[in-house]
Amino acid sequence: MKTTIKIMRSVSTSLLFLLITILIMLQFIFTVVRINTRNISDLIDRETLLENILDEKIEDEQIKNLALDYTEDYLNYVFYKRSYPSIQNVDFSSLEESQITPAREYINTLKDKIDLEYETIVKMRNINFFLSNGAIYLIINTGIFFLFIALTLTRGNLKNSFKLFSISLIVAGIITVLAFIIFKINLTHIFGFSLYNMIEEILNESFTKSTYTLTFSYILVGLIIFFSIYFYEYFPKKKRLKS
């Protein structure tokens, strides 16, 4: 009977440890996004995206502004379920006669190159809704807290629970940063041209820096908790052995 209880406690501990680690990784992703912005689309620099999509810089300021407006409308369509930005709805009336033909060519080229498949757009909308939803973020944080309580009850020792939680922080931090690095390296192999440019803009320098800083913070907090408990247990034990 004692062996069965011991095995069940061990299995429960392993399961709770795994769930806490997964939730910490999710919490990490939410936190990085929230540090930079509340909505993923706000991370995209419209001007840089436009230049990357067209593979050239538009010199005419009026045509450029028209193309930027179209880019903005398309991103709103992708992330916020707005109406599709049709070429027929683009207003060329502010341009001179000599600018209209090149402007149409730029907008048509932009439309052809920026267009994503509808299945991809649905996924982008769902990811944006998921990561910008404060209620889900709260549920994840609450879940971590209750799982920690369950872990403490299972272990019957608050000190051991904190030790396992610290290991979860370290493991979650290491896995997340490794996954992020691998993801960034393989962007060109994972996504098509249009989506690649959007993702690259989302994972900009500021976002990347925040990711590494937060990862370091998670791992550091985990190490501080782990070694604090380790030394708290070590020195009294050493003292008893000497005596």
Side-chain angles (χ1 to χ4, degrees), residues 47 50-52 54-61 64 106:
E47 196 165 330
L50 177 62
E51 287 179 16
N52 290 338
L54 293 177
D55 202 24
E56 64 176 295
K57 189 173 183 178
I58 302 174
E59 299 299 334
D60 190 300
E61 202 63 33
K64 180 182 172 182
Y106 275 123

Side-chain angles (χ1 to χ4, degrees), residues 30 34 133-143:
F30 270 84
R34 285 171 174 273
N133 193 315
I136 296 173
Y137 188 53
L138 179 62
I139 289 167
I140 289 170
N141 287 313
T142 307

